[in-house]
Amino acid sequence: MTTLQQARALALALPDVEERGHHGRASFRVGGRIFATVWDQQHLNVMVDEAGIRSYVARDPEVYAEVWWGRRLAAVRVRLDRVSPAELGELLADAWEGRARRSSGAGG
């Protein structure tokens, strides 16, 4: 189990991360790019690539769910009451890396 406070601390522990509002919810950004948002007190949306989303959902559909924005698979929703801090930290680091790489202009 991970609390929202622990999730916030894990996200903010990554290099150059800032927390800002996004449509009334907290978001975590690197280089201005969002890599996670607080959906509510029990859920975090984490922006990894489509393969990553599908992999996490396949790993444990009781913990992870697909988030669609229109026709685009955009994020994985994480149930904080069912994920360990270590596993959430791994997922946040994956999302952070993807956004940090894009904001620096290196890679995809």
Side-chain angles (χ1 to χ4, degrees), residues 5-77:
Q5 293 75 20
Q6 288 171 311
R8 178 174 271 117
L10 288 166
L12 291 172
L14 295 164
D16 302 318
V17 170
E18 63 178 345
E19 181 176 344
R20 293 192 351 215
H22 180 71
H23 301 289
R25 294 185 165 94
S27 71
F28 301 97
R29 301 167 187 243
V30 60
R33 297 183 57 89
I34 295 173
F35 68 92
T37 59
V38 175
W39 183 252
D40 58 31
Q41 293 292 311
Q42 294 82 33
H43 299 92
L44 203 66
N45 290 345
V46 183
M47 290 68 174
V48 291
D49 63 20
E50 191 171 313
I53 295 166
R54 293 187 190 286
S55 174
Y56 277 95
V57 172
R59 180 188 301 181
D60 193 342
E62 294 294 317
V63 176
Y64 303 103
E66 295 177 350
V67 176
W68 289 84
W69 289 332
R71 294 182 180 196
R72 185 172 71 94
L73 184 55
V76 62
R77 181 162 296 148

